[in-house]
Amino acid sequence: MRSSLRHSSRAGRRDPRAVKAAAALIAGALAVSLSACGGSDDDKGDTGKGGGANSSADAAVPQTVKLPKLDGQKLQVSAVWSGVEADNFKKVLAEFEKRTGADVTYVPGQDPIINFLGSKIAGGAPPDVAMLPQVGAIEQAVDKKWAKPLGAEATAELKKNYSPGWADLGKVDGKQYGVYFKAANKSLVWYNTKVFENAGAQEPKTWKTLMDASQTVYDSGVTPMSIGASDGWVLTDWFENVYLSQAGPDKYDQLAAHKIKWTDPSVKDALKTLAQMWGKKDFVAGGADGALQTDFPTSVTQTFTGGDQPKAGMVFEADFAGANVQQAKAKIGTDAKVFPFPAVGDQPPVVSGGDAATLLKDSKAGQALMTFLASPDAATIWAKQGGYLSPNKEVKQAAYPNDVQRSMAKALIDAGDDFRYDMSDQAPQAFGGTPGKGEWKVLQDFLKNPKDVDGTATRLEAEAAKVYKD
């Protein structure tokens, strides 16, 4: 059942769609489909080069969009992606170069990307296109008059290939500025199947059974959970899943819009729940100090390396962790499996995120790249590599390299507009998206001292009050 559109003092600028009751349906579908996805001899697509009747090898890159000839024209594209994510995105840009003759350079950005772009613009050298990982960042780019609206061709391509909810996330004041090229299902827990088998642990469906499974894994001699807490966004994702499931979608929307304060009892309840896991130092790889020195990629790879004695048996994070699983030489569906984030309250949570391409320099070449990124042609290239989900409903499931990722992609598309968008990514970047500040820093401090629930809620509210204009 779909809820009505919600608006806040900030959300009135954009048009995201949300639902009340779809979480159970989507998470239930994920539970069935992901649990059924074992690795087979035919499913060799965990490297993006697999065989099998449904593998990415059978999904050729489509040629659905017509692009202009751009010989000699140069473009710069910036994103915070590094490592395997950057490498895979460069393959997308290489296809655009091949089709148009343009010369595209990838410029690695830094968090917070708005600050990075500000320095580039101040220096007179902004990139043509930037990938913005927060809804709030798109608004800021528009407010600063950096972002340029999409042209007719890019807008038409977006409308043809995206559900209204995903398209509307890129709108500000009714104009289309963003194309969500990369989506994320942020309600997943990845686990080392050998660890679970050795321990006799079962996939949990509730928070209580997650804690029980963690104890079982711990009793087998392996630390249960890996947390990449040096990246503060990982901790915001933990909070959002617990909060959405425990407090419910209406409260989630209110907190996201700062219609209720972070000192609300519902926030404190979520912090108390997190403290059950974070407060057991033996349940977190390296304890709090170790987790705070562990970045997200390492939190994944250390879960799937080390044979029978990895540093952890589980790691919570989005579908894009699959790219890091592959780096660890683990086979998705066999060595590594996933289950939906367990229900804390009545329903399991479904939290989504994404990265939106935004045009900063209006040109024929820039508009053509935005059109390409809105097409299934571009998304299919990265889908074939793995560690990626597209909200583009015209991307074939066969493009994804294994059954687990195909199931994730199907669940995302089947959900349509039925999702809750990452709360911290809706927030002003100073609160929800800046390393060492705001929500990231307060939750990192809470990981170190999970007994301080009241003080943490007070500090969260103090930081939020600085940046929200209620």
Side-chain angles (χ1 to χ4, degrees):
M1 184 171 64
R2 186 170 300 167
S3 72
S4 61
L5 218 55
R6 291 183 173 86
H7 299 277
S8 70
S9 58
R10 298 185 71 255
R13 302 281 315 276
R14 44 191 156 75
D15 201 17
R17 300 188 178 190
V19 297
K20 288 185 177 181
L25 175 64
I26 302 167
L30 271 174
V32 172
S33 61
L34 298 182
S35 297
C37 292
S40 68
D41 290 339
D42 288 335
D43 186 15
K44 298 170 185 170
D46 51 313
T47 62
K49 302 176 182 178
N54 293 318
S55 75
S56 63
D58 301 310
V61 176
Q63 304 270 338
T64 67
V65 63
K66 184 177 181 180
L67 299 171
K69 287 297 180 184
L70 302 168
D71 296 302
Q73 298 195 40
K74 297 181 182 296
L75 290 172
Q76 287 190 343
V77 182
S78 185
V80 296
W81 297 322
S82 60
V84 66
E85 286 189 302
D87 291 341
N88 289 340
F89 183 52
K90 289 176 185 177
K91 293 175 183 176
V92 176
L93 300 180
E95 179 68 15
F96 179 77
E97 289 180 315
K98 177 182 175 183
R99 294 193 190 184
T100 64
D103 181 7
V104 185
T105 301
Y106 177 72
V107 180
Q110 299 171 341
D111 274 324
I113 194 165
I114 285 292
N115 293 358
F116 171 80
L117 294 175
S119 65
K120 289 289 185 182
I121 290 169
D128 296 84
V129 173
M131 292 288 175
L132 301 182
Q134 290 101 14
V135 173
I138 299 175
E139 289 189 9
Q140 285 182 274
V142 173
D143 286 342
K144 293 175 181 292
K145 303 188 185 306
W146 297 347
K148 312 301 179 187
L150 267 62
E153 292 182 357
T155 301
E157 192 69 20
L158 182 69
K159 185 176 181 180
K160 180 173 67 174
N161 298 322
Y162 285 72
S163 73
W166 279 103
D168 288 348
L169 284 170
K171 284 183 178 178
V172 178
D173 293 335
K175 291 184 179 180
Q176 194 74 50
Y177 288 93
V179 172
Y180 273 83
F181 179 67
K182 189 174 187 289
N185 179 334
K186 292 195 167 188
S187 298
L188 300 173
V189 180
W190 297 76
Y191 68 96
N192 186 313
T193 54
K194 183 176 290 186
V195 168
F196 264 50
E197 289 168 2
N198 291 345
Q202 302 296 316
E203 292 185 1
K205 290 182 169 56
T206 66
W207 183 264
K208 181 183 182 304
T209 54
L210 174 64
M211 296 300 295
D212 291 343
S214 297
Q215 186 66 53
T216 300
V217 170
Y218 174 76
D219 291 343
S220 75
V222 177
T223 303
M225 191 67 67
S226 178
I227 301 177
S230 73
D231 290 318
W233 57 266
V234 171
L235 302 184
T236 69
D237 289 351
W238 270 97
F239 174 83
E240 288 154 9
N241 276 274
V242 168
Y243 189 82
L244 176 58
S245 182
Q246 190 170 42
D250 287 340
K251 282 279 192 181
Y252 185 96
D253 294 336
Q254 292 171 36
L255 186 61
H258 203 219
K259 293 298 185 183
I260 57 175
K261 294 185 177 182
W262 284 79
T263 48
D264 189 85
S266 62
V267 174
K268 295 180 181 181
D269 287 344
L271 293 173
K272 290 174 185 176
T273 298
L274 286 171
Q276 295 173 19
M277 174 70 73
W278 295 1
K280 293 179 74 72
K281 64 178 182 179
D282 292 337
F283 275 19
V284 177
D289 289 341
L292 288 165
Q293 296 177 48
T294 302
D295 61 19
F296 163 68
T298 302
S299 74
V300 180
T301 55
Q302 71 181 14
T303 306
F304 298 100
T305 51
D308 289 337
Q309 289 293 316
K311 291 190 176 180
M314 292 177 278
V315 59
F316 154 73
E317 250 314 329
D319 57 275
F320 50 71
N324 306 104
V325 173
Q326 293 176 33
Q327 284 185 314
K329 309 300 182 186
K331 188 173 184 179
I332 296 173
T334 303
D335 306 316
K337 293 185 180 180
V338 293
F339 56 82
F341 195 96
V344 184
D346 293 336
Q347 307 290 357
V350 179
V351 178
S352 295
D355 296 272
T358 306
L359 189 67
L360 302 183
K361 293 168 66 176
D362 197 0
S363 66
K364 181 179 179 181
Q367 291 284 0
L369 179 58
M370 295 295 288
T371 301
F372 181 62
L373 293 175
S375 76
D377 305 19
T380 296
I381 295 167
W382 196 339
K384 287 163 67 70
Q385 309 305 314
Y388 169 86
L389 287 181
S390 173
N392 188 317
K393 57 187 173 64
E394 297 303 318
V395 176
K396 305 300 183 186
Q397 289 178 36
Y400 295 92
N402 54 65
D403 285 346
V404 171
Q405 290 180 277
R406 284 190 283 274
S407 296
M408 293 178 188
K410 183 177 186 300
L412 178 72
I413 298 304
D414 287 351
D417 295 340
D418 295 349
F419 59 87
R420 280 301 191 280
Y421 199 83
D422 183 300
M423 187 187 297
S424 63
D425 285 354
Q426 296 183 56
Q429 192 157 322
F431 175 67
T434 302
K437 295 183 179 180
E439 187 183 2
W440 290 19
K441 178 62 164 62
V442 175
L443 289 180
Q444 286 172 326
D445 291 342
F446 180 64
L447 178 64
K448 288 190 289 188
N449 184 18
K451 293 181 180 180
D452 188 19
V453 170
D454 289 344
T456 299
T458 298
R459 285 189 289 276
L460 284 167
E461 174 57 26
E463 292 295 323
K466 293 177 184 178
V467 295
Y468 279 93
K469 298 176 181 179
D470 298 326

